[in-house]
Amino acid sequence: MLELLDLDATAPDRFEAITPAEGPPRLFGGQVAAQSLRATTLTVPDDRTVHSLHSYFIRPGRPGVPLELRVERIRDGRSFATRRVTAVQGDEAIFVLDASFHVHEDGHDWSEPLAPGVPGPDELPPRELFGRRPPWAPKDADGKAPRFRGPRAASLFELRPVNMGEDFSLHPAWVRLAEPIPDDPALHACALTYVSDMAVVRAAVAPDASPTWGGASLDHAVWFHRPLRVDEWLLFSASPLTNHGARGLARGSFHAADGTLVASFVQECLLRSTGMPPPP
């Protein structure tokens, strides 16, 4: 994760991010979002932390092609700062993100409590989300179902789904980085942004919808409510709100192990029937 977030400054407010040519034939959206947020954090004072981001996926990212991150300083106020970043490959924008930063202020501390009865991470076995052969997937020439290929850095996370079945639905699941990262709030916000895009398209599908669909993330928003550590267990949940036409909306959250809500997110997805089951 630290390697993915280690950006090269090429000019004032211009950065280049690595795009390893491994895994699926397109860049994982969460990786592009995390790298874009990291670029904005490098342009704000240390006393301001990100409290929200809103982003749009414009084109599929290409692995192995340099990713240029162009940051615009929209506003620097007394309490808030706003940044906009455009991720570019070649001459084409593939992603845009607006992020808002806030200085710490005292205020009332409350959040909706976590629903009771969710088993803790120590009560669940580790599970491999990617690399499995689902029994319902089409068979290849050797009579075997293809293995699902996940994003390159999925192996950097430990995943413990609460009740993952054969439909490859991940949520809810306990998640954490497999190795600790420095005590830097910006790095933890970027790492959470990375994982917040994982398996959300699958979670946006209505419960009564046909399983033969394909999808892609259209836009993604995250709200950071409290300080958090992504190298400690977080309960990662996402569920559908609505499906209409060829779009679906999912809403999700991250709770710390003590039940405190630390972040929320919403994603709209493109959902189209393809005649075959989706990857996770």
Side-chain angles (χ1 to χ4, degrees):
M1 181 58 67
L2 294 178
E3 180 184 358
L4 290 171
L5 299 178
D6 185 16
L7 309 183
D8 289 330
T10 58
D13 296 342
R14 295 290 187 272
F15 304 90
E16 187 172 290
I18 63 171
T19 57
E22 302 177 24
R26 66 169 61 185
L27 290 179
F28 176 51
Q31 175 185 320
V32 178
Q35 291 171 322
S36 297
L37 178 61
R38 181 56 176 160
T40 67
T41 67
L42 296 174
T43 69
V44 297
D46 292 339
D47 66 340
R48 302 179 185 213
T49 56
V50 62
H51 71 89
S52 70
L53 66 85
H54 300 259
S55 62
Y56 286 91
F57 298 94
I58 302 172
R59 295 182 177 89
R62 293 166 289 166
V65 177
L67 183 67
E68 183 185 9
L69 304 170
R70 303 173 181 175
V71 179
E72 299 176 60
R73 302 186 183 222
I74 304 300
R75 181 176 183 266
D76 285 292
R78 288 180 297 178
S79 300
F80 290 87
T82 306
R83 297 292 186 267
R84 176 169 298 155
V85 58
T86 303
V88 177
Q89 286 188 311
D91 295 326
E92 295 182 333
I94 67 166
F95 179 79
V96 292
L97 178 147
D98 288 345
S100 182
F101 298 79
H102 186 203
V103 298
H104 173 74
E105 296 186 38
D106 293 329
H108 191 66
D109 190 358
W110 177 89
S111 66
E112 184 178 25
L114 180 65
V118 178
D122 294 336
E123 303 173 59
L124 299 167
R127 296 289 297 272
E128 179 61 47
L129 177 63
F130 301 102
R132 296 172 54 199
R133 287 192 174 100
W136 36 257
K139 304 297 189 292
D140 57 22
D142 297 329
K144 295 181 179 180
R147 294 182 183 273
F148 282 143
R149 298 166 62 197
R152 171 183 180 265
S155 61
L156 299 182
F157 290 89
E158 294 183 58
L159 295 166
R160 297 192 178 181
V162 172
N163 49 19
M164 189 173 78
E166 294 297 343
D167 63 353
F168 269 60
S169 56
L170 170 67
H171 301 278
W174 291 97
V175 62
R176 70 177 177 185
L177 280 170
E179 296 183 358
I181 59 176
D183 188 15
D184 180 345
L187 289 175
H188 285 270
C190 293
L192 184 133
T193 299
Y194 180 102
V195 76
S196 70
D197 186 41
M198 193 173 291
V200 179
V201 174
R202 177 67 185 85
V205 179
D208 60 348
S210 168
T212 57
W213 58 271
S217 304
L218 293 175
D219 55 42
H220 192 67
V222 183
W223 292 264
F224 304 87
H225 308 307
R226 291 172 176 79
L228 57 92
R229 292 197 67 94
V230 186
D231 49 11
E232 297 179 355
W233 287 115
L234 298 172
L235 184 64
F236 176 28
S237 303
S239 58
L241 282 176
T242 183
N243 282 195
H244 181 72
R247 299 192 311 276
L249 190 70
R251 176 174 57 194
S253 60
F254 288 88
H255 287 81
D258 64 1
T260 304
L261 180 67
V262 296
S264 302
F265 65 93
V266 173
Q267 182 176 118
E268 188 175 39
C269 308
L270 178 67
L271 302 174
R272 288 174 175 162
S273 178
T274 62
M276 61 184 300

